[in-house]
Amino acid sequence: MVEEETQLKELISSAEIKERLLQVSRVLDEKYYGEELVILMIMKGAVCLAADLIRTLNMKLSIDYIRCSSYEGQERGDLTIIGEEYLDLENKNVLVVDDIFDSGVTMDSVVKKLKLKNPKRMESLVLLNKLIEKSTEYRPDYTLFDVEDLFVVGYGLDYNENYRELPGIYVFKNSPE
Ligand code: 5GP
Ligand code: MG
């Protein structure tokens, strides 16, 4: 239905995301057994992943967020980070959650900045990792899926603020216009 109307092709279904999320959550449950975790969402793209993750984890947790933005349509611009001044991460276990690890610039910059707030441990989780050469050495600790170098939307990922609500991950069959 969604696919016919908008010329989108499904790459990863919501069932596949759910299944993989359960696997990763069990790994995290074990790793942080008896501890507390701050789920630090990079908004807006991490909204669906974080919302599902906090309901599949079995541990004491809290949520917080920053906003990062670097895209206009499919064009990359400068990275802006908003809201880090409000975070208290001192001596806390922090899991930074983002939608997609593309060049790596966003996660690398965020992790570097947030480490200055003296967390006890800082790890990162991404829904997707694009199979491209990275411009940074940093790698996420947990990845749900590797994907080809295509522009994807759905499950939090947008094109000009559209398509975030789609339950799976999609690519455009032709140009998104
Ligand atoms: P990076 O800094 O790793 O190059 O890019 C990360 C950010 O760029 C992601 O958090 C995401 O917001 C955006 N981004 C990168 N690739 C895509 C894509 O294929 N689709 C969408 N919707 N956003 C992307
Ligand atoms: Mg993002």
Side-chain angles (χ1 to χ4, degrees), residues 13-91:
S13 69
S14 77
E16 288 172 301
I17 297 172
K18 207 171 180 177
E19 192 186 328
R20 181 77 185 111
L21 195 54
L22 281 170
Q23 288 174 353
V24 174
S25 292
R26 295 300 77 84
V27 173
L28 289 164
D29 283 345
E30 234 175 78
K31 177 141 193 178
Y32 290 96
Y33 182 79
E35 301 210 38
E36 289 185 36
L37 191 57
V38 179
I39 305 295
L40 200 289
M41 307 176 268
I42 301 185
M43 298 303 260
K44 304 172 191 169
V47 61
C48 296
L49 176 60
D52 285 344
L53 175 71
I54 61 173
R55 290 175 290 178
T56 51
L57 288 172
N58 282 315
M59 67 177 75
K60 192 158 184 226
L61 57 81
S62 60
I63 60 172
D64 220 324
Y65 68 94
I66 50 171
R67 285 188 66 174
C68 286
S69 175
S70 57
Y71 269 78
E72 276 174 34
Q74 294 193 44
E75 295 300 316
R76 224 202 142 83
D78 289 338
L79 174 70
T80 47
I81 303 178
I82 302 166
E84 39 131 357
E85 63 273 28
Y86 303 115
L87 302 174
D88 172 15
L89 305 179
E90 182 91 29
N91 206 29

Coordinates of all heavy atoms in Angstrom, one line a residue, residues 13-91:
S13 N 11.9 -5.1 6.9 CA 10.5 -5.0 7.4 C 10.4 -4.7 8.9 O 11.4 -4.9 9.6 CB 9.8 -6.3 7.1 OG 10.3 -7.3 8.0
S14 N 9.3 -4.3 9.3 CA 9.1 -4.0 10.8 C 9.3 -5.3 11.6 O 9.9 -5.2 12.7 CB 7.8 -3.3 11.1 OG 6.8 -4.3 11.1
A15 N 8.9 -6.4 11.0 CA 9.1 -7.7 11.8 C 10.6 -8.0 11.9 O 11.1 -8.5 13.0 CB 8.4 -8.8 11.0
E16 N 11.4 -7.7 10.9 CA 12.9 -8.0 11.0 C 13.5 -7.0 12.0 O 14.4 -7.4 12.7 CB 13.5 -7.7 9.6 CG 13.2 -8.8 8.6 CD 13.7 -8.5 7.2 OE1 13.3 -7.4 6.6 OE2 14.5 -9.2 6.6
I17 N 13.0 -5.8 12.0 CA 13.6 -4.8 13.0 C 13.3 -5.3 14.4 O 14.1 -5.3 15.3 CB 13.0 -3.4 12.8 CG1 13.4 -2.9 11.4 CG2 13.4 -2.5 13.9 CD1 12.7 -1.5 11.1
K18 N 12.0 -5.7 14.6 CA 11.6 -6.2 15.9 C 12.4 -7.4 16.4 O 12.9 -7.4 17.6 CB 10.1 -6.6 15.8 CG 9.4 -6.5 17.1 CD 7.9 -6.8 16.8 CE 7.1 -6.6 18.1 NZ 5.7 -6.8 17.9
E19 N 12.7 -8.3 15.5 CA 13.4 -9.5 15.9 C 14.9 -9.2 16.2 O 15.4 -9.6 17.3 CB 13.4 -10.5 14.7 CG 13.9 -11.9 15.0 CD 14.0 -12.7 13.8 OE1 13.2 -12.5 12.8 OE2 14.9 -13.6 13.7
R20 N 15.5 -8.3 15.4 CA 16.9 -8.0 15.7 C 17.0 -7.1 16.9 O 18.0 -7.3 17.7 CB 17.4 -7.2 14.4 CG 18.8 -6.7 14.5 CD 19.8 -7.8 14.2 NE 21.1 -7.3 14.4 CZ 21.9 -7.7 15.4 NH1 21.6 -8.6 16.2 NH2 23.1 -7.1 15.5
L21 N 16.0 -6.3 17.2 CA 16.0 -5.4 18.4 C 16.0 -6.3 19.6 O 16.6 -6.0 20.6 CB 14.8 -4.5 18.3 CG 14.8 -3.3 19.3 CD1 16.1 -2.5 19.2 CD2 13.6 -2.4 19.0
L22 N 15.2 -7.4 19.6 CA 15.1 -8.3 20.7 C 16.5 -8.9 21.0 O 16.9 -9.0 22.1 CB 14.1 -9.4 20.5 CG 12.6 -9.0 20.7 CD1 11.7 -10.0 20.2 CD2 12.4 -8.7 22.2
Q23 N 17.2 -9.3 19.9 CA 18.5 -10.0 20.1 C 19.5 -9.0 20.7 O 20.2 -9.3 21.7 CB 19.1 -10.3 18.7 CG 18.5 -11.5 18.0 CD 19.1 -11.6 16.6 OE1 19.8 -10.8 16.1 NE2 18.7 -12.7 15.9
V24 N 19.5 -7.8 20.2 CA 20.5 -6.8 20.8 C 20.1 -6.4 22.2 O 21.0 -6.2 23.1 CB 20.5 -5.5 19.8 CG1 21.4 -4.4 20.5 CG2 21.1 -5.9 18.5
S25 N 18.8 -6.3 22.5 CA 18.4 -6.0 23.8 C 18.8 -7.0 24.9 O 19.2 -6.7 26.0 CB 16.8 -5.8 23.9 OG 16.4 -4.7 23.2
R26 N 18.8 -8.3 24.4 CA 19.2 -9.4 25.4 C 20.7 -9.2 25.7 O 21.2 -9.4 26.8 CB 18.9 -10.8 24.8 CG 17.5 -11.1 24.7 CD 16.6 -11.1 26.0 NE 16.3 -9.8 26.5 CZ 15.2 -9.1 26.1 NH1 14.4 -9.5 25.2 NH2 15.0 -7.9 26.6
V27 N 21.5 -8.8 24.6 CA 23.0 -8.6 24.8 C 23.2 -7.4 25.8 O 24.0 -7.5 26.7 CB 23.6 -8.3 23.5 CG1 25.1 -7.8 23.7 CG2 23.6 -9.4 22.5
L28 N 22.4 -6.4 25.6 CA 22.5 -5.2 26.5 C 22.0 -5.5 28.0 O 22.7 -5.1 28.9 CB 21.7 -4.0 26.0 CG 22.3 -3.4 24.7 CD1 21.2 -2.5 24.0 CD2 23.5 -2.6 25.1
D29 N 21.0 -6.3 28.1 CA 20.5 -6.8 29.4 C 21.6 -7.4 30.2 O 21.8 -7.2 31.4 CB 19.3 -7.8 29.2 CG 18.0 -7.1 28.9 OD1 17.9 -5.9 29.0 OD2 17.1 -7.8 28.4
E30 N 22.3 -8.3 29.5 CA 23.4 -9.0 30.1 C 24.6 -8.1 30.5 O 25.1 -8.2 31.6 CB 23.9 -10.1 29.2 CG 23.9 -11.5 29.8 CD 24.3 -12.6 28.8 OE1 25.5 -12.7 28.6 OE2 23.4 -13.3 28.3
K31 N 24.9 -7.3 29.5 CA 26.1 -6.4 29.8 C 25.8 -5.4 30.9 O 26.7 -5.2 31.7 CB 26.3 -5.6 28.5 CG 27.4 -4.6 28.6 CD 28.3 -4.6 27.4 CE 29.5 -3.8 27.6 NZ 30.4 -3.8 26.5
Y32 N 24.6 -4.9 31.0 CA 24.3 -3.9 32.1 C 23.6 -4.5 33.3 O 22.9 -3.8 34.0 CB 23.6 -2.7 31.5 CG 24.5 -1.9 30.5 CD1 24.5 -2.1 29.2 CD2 25.3 -1.0 31.1 CE1 25.3 -1.4 28.3 CE2 26.2 -0.3 30.2 CZ 26.2 -0.5 28.9 OH 27.0 0.2 28.1
Y33 N 23.7 -5.8 33.4 CA 22.9 -6.5 34.5 C 23.2 -5.8 35.9 O 24.4 -5.6 36.2 CB 23.3 -8.0 34.6 CG 22.5 -8.7 35.6 CD1 21.2 -9.1 35.4 CD2 23.1 -9.0 36.8 CE1 20.5 -9.8 36.4 CE2 22.4 -9.7 37.8 CZ 21.1 -10.1 37.6 OH 20.4 -10.7 38.6
G34 N 22.2 -5.4 36.6 CA 22.3 -4.8 37.9 C 22.7 -3.4 37.9 O 22.9 -2.7 38.9
E35 N 22.8 -2.8 36.7 CA 23.2 -1.4 36.5 C 22.1 -0.6 35.9 O 21.1 -1.1 35.4 CB 24.5 -1.3 35.7 CG 25.6 -2.1 36.3 CD 27.0 -1.5 35.9 OE1 27.1 -0.2 35.9 OE2 27.9 -2.2 35.6
E36 N 22.3 0.7 35.9 CA 21.3 1.6 35.2 C 21.9 2.2 34.0 O 23.1 2.3 33.8 CB 20.9 2.8 36.2 CG 20.1 2.3 37.4 CD 19.7 3.5 38.2 OE1 19.4 4.6 37.6 OE2 19.6 3.4 39.4
L37 N 21.0 2.5 33.0 CA 21.4 3.0 31.7 C 20.7 4.2 31.3 O 19.5 4.3 31.5 CB 21.2 1.9 30.7 CG 21.8 2.0 29.3 CD1 23.3 2.1 29.3 CD2 21.4 0.7 28.5
V38 N 21.4 5.2 30.8 CA 20.8 6.4 30.2 C 20.7 6.2 28.7 O 21.7 6.0 28.0 CB 21.6 7.7 30.5 CG1 20.8 8.9 29.8 CG2 21.8 7.9 31.9
I39 N 19.5 6.1 28.1 CA 19.3 6.0 26.7 C 19.3 7.4 26.1 O 18.4 8.2 26.4 CB 18.0 5.3 26.3 CG1 17.9 3.9 27.0 CG2 17.8 5.2 24.8 CD1 18.9 2.9 26.6
L40 N 20.4 7.8 25.4 CA 20.6 9.1 24.9 C 20.2 9.2 23.5 O 21.0 8.7 22.6 CB 22.0 9.5 25.2 CG 22.5 11.0 25.3 CD1 22.4 11.6 23.9 CD2 21.6 11.8 26.2
M41 N 19.0 9.7 23.1 CA 18.6 9.6 21.7 C 19.1 10.8 21.0 O 19.1 11.9 21.5 CB 17.0 9.8 21.7 CG 16.3 8.7 22.6 SD 14.6 9.1 22.6 CE 14.4 10.1 24.0
I42 N 19.5 10.6 19.8 CA 19.8 11.7 18.8 C 18.6 11.9 18.0 O 18.2 11.1 17.2 CB 21.1 11.3 18.0 CG1 22.3 11.0 18.8 CG2 21.3 12.5 17.0 CD1 23.6 10.8 18.1
M43 N 17.9 13.0 18.3 CA 16.7 13.3 17.6 C 16.9 14.1 16.3 O 17.9 14.8 16.2 CB 15.8 14.1 18.6 CG 15.5 13.4 19.9 SD 14.6 11.8 19.6 CE 13.0 12.3 19.9
K44 N 16.0 13.9 15.4 CA 14.8 13.2 15.6 C 14.8 11.7 15.1 O 13.9 11.0 15.3 CB 13.7 13.9 14.8 CG 13.5 15.4 15.1 CD 12.5 16.0 14.1 CE 12.6 17.5 14.2 NZ 11.8 18.2 13.1
G45 N 15.9 11.4 14.4 CA 15.9 10.1 13.7 C 15.8 8.9 14.6 O 15.4 7.8 14.1
A46 N 16.3 9.0 15.8 CA 16.3 7.8 16.7 C 15.0 7.6 17.4 O 14.9 6.7 18.2 CB 17.4 8.0 17.8
V47 N 13.9 8.4 17.1 CA 12.7 8.3 17.9 C 12.1 6.9 17.9 O 11.7 6.4 18.9 CB 11.7 9.4 17.4 CG1 11.3 9.3 15.9 CG2 10.5 9.4 18.3
C48 N 12.0 6.3 16.7 CA 11.3 5.0 16.7 C 12.2 3.9 17.4 O 11.7 3.1 18.1 CB 11.0 4.6 15.2 SG 9.8 5.6 14.4
L49 N 13.4 3.9 17.0 CA 14.4 2.9 17.6 C 14.4 3.0 19.1 O 14.3 2.0 19.8 CB 15.8 3.1 17.0 CG 16.9 2.2 17.6 CD1 16.6 0.8 17.3 CD2 18.2 2.6 16.9
A50 N 14.5 4.2 19.6 CA 14.6 4.4 21.1 C 13.3 4.0 21.8 O 13.3 3.4 22.8 CB 15.0 5.9 21.4
A51 N 12.2 4.4 21.1 CA 10.9 4.1 21.7 C 10.7 2.6 21.8 O 10.2 2.1 22.8 CB 9.7 4.7 20.9
D52 N 11.1 1.8 20.8 CA 11.0 0.4 20.9 C 12.0 -0.2 21.8 O 11.8 -1.2 22.5 CB 11.1 -0.2 19.5 CG 9.8 0.0 18.7 OD1 8.8 0.3 19.3 OD2 9.9 -0.1 17.4
L53 N 13.3 0.3 21.8 CA 14.4 -0.2 22.6 C 14.0 -0.2 24.1 O 14.2 -1.2 24.8 CB 15.6 0.6 22.3 CG 16.9 0.2 23.2 CD1 17.4 -1.2 22.8 CD2 18.0 1.2 23.0
I54 N 13.5 0.9 24.5 CA 13.2 1.1 26.0 C 12.2 0.1 26.5 O 12.1 -0.2 27.6 CB 12.9 2.5 26.4 CG1 11.6 3.0 25.8 CG2 14.1 3.4 26.2 CD1 11.1 4.4 26.3
R55 N 11.4 -0.4 25.5 CA 10.3 -1.4 25.9 C 10.8 -2.8 25.7 O 10.1 -3.7 26.1 CB 9.1 -1.1 25.1 CG 8.4 0.2 25.6 CD 7.2 0.5 24.7 NE 7.6 1.0 23.4 CZ 6.7 1.3 22.5 NH1 5.4 1.3 22.7 NH2 7.1 1.7 21.3
T56 N 12.0 -3.0 25.1 CA 12.5 -4.4 25.0 C 13.6 -4.7 26.0 O 13.9 -5.8 26.2 CB 13.0 -4.7 23.5 OG1 13.9 -3.7 23.1 CG2 11.8 -4.8 22.6
L57 N 14.2 -3.6 26.5 CA 15.2 -3.8 27.5 C 14.6 -4.2 28.9 O 13.5 -3.8 29.2 CB 16.0 -2.5 27.7 CG 17.0 -2.1 26.6 CD1 17.5 -0.7 26.9 CD2 18.1 -3.1 26.4
N58 N 15.3 -5.0 29.6 CA 14.8 -5.4 31.0 C 15.8 -4.8 32.0 O 16.6 -5.6 32.6 CB 14.8 -6.9 31.1 CG 13.5 -7.5 30.5 OD1 12.4 -6.9 30.6 ND2 13.7 -8.5 29.7
M59 N 15.8 -3.5 32.2 CA 16.7 -3.0 33.2 C 16.1 -1.6 33.6 O 15.2 -1.1 33.0 CB 18.1 -2.8 32.6 CG 18.1 -1.8 31.5 SD 19.8 -1.5 30.9 CE 20.0 -3.0 29.9
K60 N 16.8 -1.0 34.7 CA 16.4 0.3 35.1 C 17.0 1.3 34.2 O 18.2 1.2 33.9 CB 16.9 0.5 36.5 CG 16.3 1.7 37.1 CD 16.3 1.7 38.7 CE 15.6 2.9 39.2 NZ 16.3 3.6 40.2
L61 N 16.2 2.2 33.6 CA 16.8 3.1 32.6 C 16.1 4.5 32.7 O 15.0 4.6 33.3 CB 16.8 2.5 31.2 CG 15.4 2.1 30.6 CD1 14.6 3.3 30.1 CD2 15.6 1.1 29.5
S62 N 16.8 5.5 32.1 CA 16.2 6.8 32.0 C 16.5 7.2 30.5 O 17.3 6.6 29.9 CB 16.7 7.8 33.0 OG 18.1 7.9 32.8
I63 N 15.7 8.2 30.0 CA 16.0 8.6 28.7 C 16.3 10.1 28.7 O 15.9 10.9 29.6 CB 14.7 8.4 27.7 CG1 13.5 9.1 28.2 CG2 14.5 6.9 27.6 CD1 12.4 9.1 27.2
D64 N 17.1 10.5 27.7 CA 17.4 11.9 27.5 C 17.7 12.1 26.0 O 17.7 11.1 25.3 CB 18.6 12.3 28.4 CG 18.4 13.7 28.9 OD1 17.8 14.6 28.2 OD2 18.8 14.0 30.1
Y65 N 17.9 13.3 25.6 CA 18.1 13.5 24.1 C 18.9 14.7 23.8 O 19.0 15.7 24.6 CB 16.7 13.6 23.4 CG 15.9 14.8 23.8 CD1 16.0 16.0 23.0 CD2 15.2 14.9 25.0 CE1 15.3 17.1 23.3 CE2 14.5 16.0 25.3 CZ 14.5 17.2 24.5 OH 13.9 18.3 24.9
I66 N 19.5 14.7 22.6 CA 20.0 15.9 22.0 C 19.5 15.9 20.6 O 18.9 14.9 20.1 CB 21.6 15.9 21.9 CG1 22.1 14.6 21.3 CG2 22.2 16.2 23.3 CD1 23.6 14.6 21.0
R67 N 19.6 17.1 19.9 CA 19.2 17.1 18.5 C 20.4 17.3 17.7 O 21.3 18.1 18.0 CB 18.2 18.3 18.3 CG 16.9 18.1 18.8 CD 15.9 19.2 18.4 NE 15.7 19.2 16.9 CZ 14.9 20.0 16.3 NH1 14.2 20.9 17.0 NH2 14.8 20.0 15.0
C68 N 20.5 16.6 16.6 CA 21.6 16.8 15.6 C 20.9 16.9 14.3 O 20.0 16.2 14.0 CB 22.5 15.6 15.6 SG 23.6 15.5 17.0
S69 N 21.5 17.7 13.4 CA 21.0 17.8 12.1 C 22.1 18.1 11.1 O 23.0 18.9 11.4 CB 19.9 18.9 12.1 OG 19.5 19.1 10.8
S70 N 22.1 17.5 10.0 CA 23.2 17.7 9.0 C 22.7 17.6 7.6 O 23.4 17.8 6.6 CB 24.4 16.8 9.2 OG 23.9 15.5 9.1
Y71 N 21.4 17.3 7.4 CA 20.9 17.1 6.1 C 19.8 18.1 5.7 O 18.9 18.5 6.6 CB 20.3 15.7 5.9 CG 21.3 14.7 5.5 CD1 22.2 14.2 6.3 CD2 21.3 14.3 4.1 CE1 23.1 13.3 5.9 CE2 22.2 13.4 3.7 CZ 23.1 12.9 4.5 OH 24.0 12.0 4.1
E72 N 19.8 18.5 4.5 CA 18.6 19.2 3.9 C 18.2 18.4 2.7 O 19.0 18.4 1.7 CB 19.0 20.7 3.5 CG 18.9 21.6 4.7 CD 19.4 23.0 4.3 OE1 19.2 23.4 3.2 OE2 19.9 23.6 5.2
G73 N 17.1 17.7 2.7 CA 16.8 16.8 1.7 C 17.8 15.7 1.7 O 18.0 15.0 2.7
Q74 N 18.5 15.5 0.6 CA 19.5 14.5 0.6 C 20.9 15.1 0.6 O 21.9 14.4 0.4 CB 19.4 13.6 -0.7 CG 18.1 12.8 -0.7 CD 18.1 11.7 -1.7 OE1 19.1 11.0 -1.9 NE2 17.0 11.5 -2.4
E75 N 21.0 16.4 0.7 CA 22.2 17.1 0.7 C 22.8 17.3 2.1 O 22.1 17.6 3.1 CB 22.1 18.5 0.1 CG 21.6 18.6 -1.3 CD 22.6 17.9 -2.2 OE1 23.9 18.1 -2.0 OE2 22.2 17.1 -3.1
R76 N 24.1 17.0 2.3 CA 24.8 17.1 3.6 C 25.2 18.5 3.8 O 25.8 19.2 3.0 CB 26.0 16.2 3.5 CG 26.2 15.5 4.7 CD 27.6 15.0 5.0 NE 27.7 15.1 6.4 CZ 27.3 14.2 7.2 NH1 26.8 13.1 6.8 NH2 27.4 14.4 8.5
G77 N 24.9 19.0 5.0 CA 25.3 20.4 5.4 C 26.2 20.3 6.6 O 26.7 19.2 6.9
D78 N 26.4 21.4 7.3 CA 27.2 21.3 8.6 C 26.4 20.7 9.7 O 25.2 20.8 9.8 CB 27.6 22.8 9.0 CG 28.6 23.4 8.1 OD1 29.3 22.6 7.4 OD2 28.7 24.6 8.0
L79 N 27.1 20.0 10.6 CA 26.5 19.3 11.7 C 26.2 20.3 12.8 O 27.1 21.1 13.2 CB 27.4 18.2 12.3 CG 26.9 17.5 13.5 CD1 25.7 16.7 13.3 CD2 28.0 16.7 14.1
T80 N 25.0 20.4 13.3 CA 24.7 21.2 14.5 C 24.2 20.2 15.6 O 23.4 19.3 15.3 CB 23.5 22.2 14.2 OG1 22.5 21.5 13.6 CG2 24.0 23.3 13.4
I81 N 24.7 20.5 16.8 CA 24.2 19.7 18.0 C 23.6 20.6 19.0 O 24.1 21.7 19.3 CB 25.5 19.0 18.7 CG1 26.2 18.1 17.7 CG2 25.0 18.2 19.9 CD1 27.5 17.5 18.3
I82 N 22.4 20.3 19.4 CA 21.6 21.2 20.3 C 21.2 20.4 21.5 O 20.7 19.3 21.4 CB 20.3 21.7 19.6 CG1 20.6 22.4 18.3 CG2 19.5 22.6 20.5 CD1 19.5 22.6 17.4
G83 N 21.4 21.0 22.7 CA 20.9 20.5 23.9 C 21.8 19.8 24.8 O 21.5 19.4 25.9
E84 N 23.1 19.7 24.4 CA 24.0 18.9 25.3 C 24.3 19.6 26.6 O 24.7 19.0 27.6 CB 25.3 18.6 24.5 CG 25.9 19.7 23.7 CD 27.3 20.0 23.9 OE1 27.9 19.4 24.8 OE2 27.8 20.9 23.2
E85 N 24.1 20.9 26.6 CA 24.4 21.7 27.9 C 23.4 21.3 29.0 O 23.7 21.5 30.2 CB 24.3 23.2 27.6 CG 23.0 23.8 27.2 CD 22.8 23.7 25.6 OE1 23.4 22.8 25.0 OE2 22.0 24.6 25.1
Y86 N 22.3 20.6 28.6 CA 21.3 20.3 29.7 C 21.5 18.9 30.3 O 20.8 18.4 31.2 CB 19.9 20.3 29.1 CG 19.5 21.7 28.5 CD1 19.3 21.8 27.2 CD2 19.4 22.8 29.4 CE1 18.9 23.0 26.6 CE2 19.1 24.0 28.8 CZ 18.9 24.1 27.5 OH 18.5 25.4 27.0
L87 N 22.5 18.1 29.7 CA 22.7 16.7 30.1 C 23.6 16.6 31.4 O 24.6 17.2 31.4 CB 23.3 15.9 29.0 CG 22.6 15.9 27.7 CD1 23.4 15.2 26.6 CD2 21.2 15.2 27.8
D88 N 23.2 15.7 32.3 CA 24.0 15.4 33.4 C 24.4 13.9 33.2 O 23.5 13.0 33.5 CB 23.3 15.6 34.7 CG 24.1 15.0 35.9 OD1 25.3 14.7 35.7 OD2 23.5 14.9 37.0
L89 N 25.6 13.6 32.8 CA 26.0 12.2 32.5 C 27.1 11.7 33.5 O 27.6 10.6 33.3 CB 26.5 12.1 31.1 CG 25.5 12.6 30.0 CD1 26.1 12.4 28.6 CD2 24.2 11.8 30.0
E90 N 27.4 12.6 34.4 CA 28.5 12.3 35.4 C 28.3 10.9 36.0 O 27.3 10.6 36.6 CB 28.5 13.4 36.5 CG 29.6 13.2 37.5 CD 30.8 14.0 37.1 OE1 30.7 15.0 36.4 OE2 31.9 13.6 37.6
N91 N 29.3 10.0 35.8 CA 29.3 8.7 36.4 C 28.1 7.8 36.0 O 27.8 6.9 36.7 CB 29.4 8.8 37.9 CG 30.1 7.6 38.5 OD1 30.9 6.9 37.9 ND2 29.7 7.2 39.7

